[in-house]
Amino acid sequence: MSRQMGESHRRFLQTMMVSGVIDEQAAKALYQYCCETHHTQYAPDKLEDFIDTINSRLQPMFMQIRKGMSENNGLQYYALVNMAETDITRMSSDYADNELELFRKTLDLIVCSENGKASSTDILNSTDSMTTRKMKKSETEHLLSRLVHDKWLSEKRGEYTLSTRCIIEMEPYIRTMYQDHIKVCHICRNIAFQCQICENPTCGIKIHNPCVARYFKGKSEPRCPSCDDFWPHEIPEVKRPHSQSRR
Amino acid sequence: MTQRKRPSSTQSSSQRRHTGNLVAQDEDDDATFTQPSTSQVQRGLEKLTPAQVDQKTAEVVQYFLVKDQKKMPVRRADLVKHVVKDYRNIYPEILKRAARTFDQVFGLKLVEIDPKNKMYILVNNLETPDKASPVRSPSNPKMGLLLAILSVIFMKGGVVRENLIWNTLRKLRVDPGEKHEEFGDVRKMVTDEFVRQRYLEYVRIPHTEPIEHEFRWGQRADAEVSKVKILEFMGELHEQDPKTWTQQYRQAHSLPNSSQASTSSSSQR
């Protein structure tokens, strides 16, 4: 059940509109700040209720504040997303047709890849098959850096992945468009791009890297939760919120 | 409104100015739309379901938010043409509901910055907090620089020659001639981005050779930025009572509230 929307909710929402996506710790700090600034009663464990109140008023505009996990550090993030469109027309106000086409191609590469990454080389090569106005190398590089700046993609060592905000916002679209290709994490049941895969050919379950870290923590002999085969991949460490981890 | 009236001959080549002689196109677009009467709106509403009206309101809200993200004003003509469309006969009702949504949900105020050409912006309606937000917004450094510029303009009586602004920025170690680490092309940011966003006006001074411009507050600054707060900040900075700047103090406190641009019919903007 939702409370009345007050100034504290509005300030939270305005911050979300400007920032786009924030991590859970920042969200909690922001919630406290908004309540204190507007002298509203503050209960530390009621962030979800607070956001529900906002969401109930955002729903008629097909907007929501949604939560999702970063595939890099396993932390939870909140993003203000647009639910109205079923495809990526939400980006269409910021990007030209051919830029959107290239983004779709990058999405293809990432979704269909095993490691959830697309190299800049592969993305550049995909411009050959563009049906809208072709993009030069410099244009492609500029577009990619804009997409990173606008928090749709993340880049590391020349490889591009979907940003946390992108995954939160586009999950419904991706599930619809790539039904047969998408990977789902066996542990958290969410869509998975960067993940480890069980090497048993009859099993093949996928687990997010951070979910691997949490599930196998402290286990001396990691075994697949589904088929019990030895889990051969390196078990990452669980990342703490205050540690220096990249999104 | 105690703003100085601008001589009508000054026109900036770098910005679209909504004065009568420039906007034949705009006037044509807008001329096709006549504001429906109250009875027309009533009749129109009777023919639609509440859900339909809500849906259209939501679309208008979304359109505004997208435009406002880039701080671009919304023209009524565009709004009616691209979003309102068949619902133009109940346009005033839709705009009223959209304004209510902006206020109640987003804490934003719908402000008409150009009564003649029907242009709107969204302005922050939440009061400026005493403590800074724990979430660092991406535009914060730009806002800081903008506030410095607005402060200088205000303290100097509302209009300054551009050199004063460039010198002020240099003192803040932001050189308009060089590419800045944070702001990039500083000159472009100040004379183009801030102007398009309606925070500043950058107007050519006639008969100057080489060409010189002057800066004034833009409509968005008038609506969003509190002169009282600027004066308070100046007071702290110089360890003086804000009242010692009598003219500025009078100007800051003479206006009923911070949204000055919307209703004043004497506004020349």
Side-chain angles (χ1 to χ4, degrees), chain A residues 5-7 9-15 17-19 22 26-27 29-30 33 36-38 54 57-58 60-63 80 82 84-85 90 93-94 151 165, chain B residues 54-55 57-59 61-62 65-66 68-70 100-108 123-139:
Chain A
M5 190 133 173
E7 295 282 274
H9 298 91
R10 293 176 197 119
R11 187 172 293 280
F12 190 95
L13 178 56
Q14 278 196 15
T15 310
M17 283 170 66
V18 170
S19 308
I22 61 174
L30 180 63
Y33 169 77
E36 286 172 358
T37 302
H38 296 285
I54 301 173
R57 298 302 302 270
L58 285 177
M61 269 91 55
F62 302 101
M63 291 165 70
L80 179 63
N82 206 315
E85 285 91 359
R90 187 261 210 276
S93 63
D94 292 332
K151 296 182 189 158
R165 178 266 189 113
Chain B
D54 287 345
Q55 167 73 19
T57 305
E59 287 172 25
V61 168
Q62 280 188 326
L65 290 174
V66 169
D68 191 70
Q69 207 175 30
K70 297 174 203 135
R100 202 189 311 150
T101 304
F102 289 128
D103 178 46
Q104 288 176 359
V105 180
F106 296 92
L108 297 171
V123 156
N124 196 341
N125 211 18
L126 299 177
E127 57 186 51
T128 326
D130 294 322
K131 225 173 68 170
S133 170
V135 178
R136 192 178 184 273
S137 305
S139 65

Side-chain angles (χ1 to χ4, degrees), chain A residues 3 8 25 27-37 39-47 50:
Chain A
R3 288 203 324 260
S8 53
Q25 233 185 358
K28 287 181 175 157
L30 180 63
Y31 165 49
Q32 183 172 5
Y33 169 77
C34 290
C35 288
E36 286 172 358
T37 302
H39 313 292
T40 314
Q41 200 177 31
Y42 166 67
D45 56 340
K46 294 284 182 197
L47 173 59
F50 185 81

Side-chain angles (χ1 to χ4, degrees), chain A residues 90-96 99 146 150 152, chain B residues 66 69-70:
Chain A
R90 187 261 210 276
M91 292 168 72
S92 62
S93 63
D94 292 332
Y95 296 92
E99 292 174 331
R146 267 180 70 202
D150 292 346
W152 294 107
Chain B
V66 169
Q69 207 175 30
K70 297 174 203 135

Side-chain angles (χ1 to χ4, degrees), chain B residues 28-47:
Chain B
D28 279 350
D29 283 354
D30 211 46
T32 64
F33 178 73
T34 40
Q35 189 92 331
S37 68
T38 321
S39 54
Q40 279 177 309
V41 172
Q42 268 308 111
R43 280 201 298 275
L45 281 171
E46 283 161 17
K47 293 189 184 135

